[in-house]
Amino acid sequence: MTFHSASARAVLLVALTAACGSDEVDDGTGEPKPPTVERSPELDSVTLKSQRGGTSHNAGSNCMSCHGPNGTAPGLFTVAGTAVNARREANPDATVTLSTASNGGGTLVLTLEADANGNFYTTEAVPLTTQALYPRVTSRASASVNFMPFPTMSGACNVCHVGGNPVDLD
């Protein structure tokens, strides 16, 4: 189908834009609800885990926006993020652990190695929805350590730790 006039293209654009919006309104805010995504169950059956030397993409982005319950990428991540150095460059030497006490104390629940882009991620079951865990990041190259002194119940690390609030090591 070809549209030769600017007005015909504008009408089509308005129609497509309206079709993409949501008619539902959030009662709490009065704002339109974001569109929901039909996530294919086949995507959730893909098992993924970062590994040293592996590759990934979109370092520093919220991995869960695509690899989460409302995303359309393969693998339903339970923990994901990006480790960087003090210069805000990807840190492929990082190891991320989740444990039951601050600074790696208590019981170790999960260990993830950053890949070549500094990204770490897994689809493994992690009890974050029922148990708060303490993240700790270490660097093999510099032996630096950084950790959260309080627990988290979210594995979407880049939601908070991007831009001016990265977890850096050096």
Side-chain angles (χ1 to χ4, degrees):
M1 181 183 314
T2 305
F3 292 97
H4 296 285
S5 72
S7 62
R9 285 190 300 268
V11 168
L12 178 62
L13 178 61
V14 168
L16 289 174
T17 303
C20 293
S22 172
D23 293 334
E24 293 184 53
V25 175
D26 183 332
D27 294 333
T29 66
E31 297 292 318
K33 288 184 179 178
T36 56
V37 174
E38 283 289 324
R39 185 170 171 84
S40 170
E42 291 83 32
L43 295 173
D44 296 350
S45 65
V46 176
T47 302
L48 297 169
K49 185 174 183 179
S50 57
Q51 56 187 332
R52 192 104 42 229
T55 58
S56 60
H57 57 268
N58 297 335
S61 297
N62 177 12
C63 312
M64 304 289 206
S65 63
C66 296
H67 298 275
N70 293 314
T72 57
L76 184 58
F77 290 176
T78 55
V79 176
T82 306
V84 297
N85 61 27
R87 295 173 303 285
R88 307 295 197 261
E89 300 165 337
N91 189 336
D93 292 315
T95 300
V96 177
T97 59
L98 293 175
S99 60
T100 59
S102 184
N103 198 13
T107 303
L108 179 64
V109 175
L110 177 70
T111 300
L112 293 171
E113 295 179 335
D115 66 15
N117 294 316
N119 289 332
F120 54 90
Y121 51 88
T122 187
T123 57
E124 291 178 42
V126 179
L128 279 169
T129 57
T130 59
Q131 178 180 11
L133 297 173
Y134 294 81
R136 181 176 194 254
V137 184
T138 58
S139 176
R140 291 183 317 155
S142 66
S144 298
V145 176
N146 204 334
F147 64 93
M148 286 177 49
F150 49 86
T152 184
M153 292 187 81
S154 172
C157 304
N158 282 356
V159 168
C160 296
H161 297 288
V162 294
N165 194 29
V167 175
D168 57 45
L169 296 167
D170 261 343

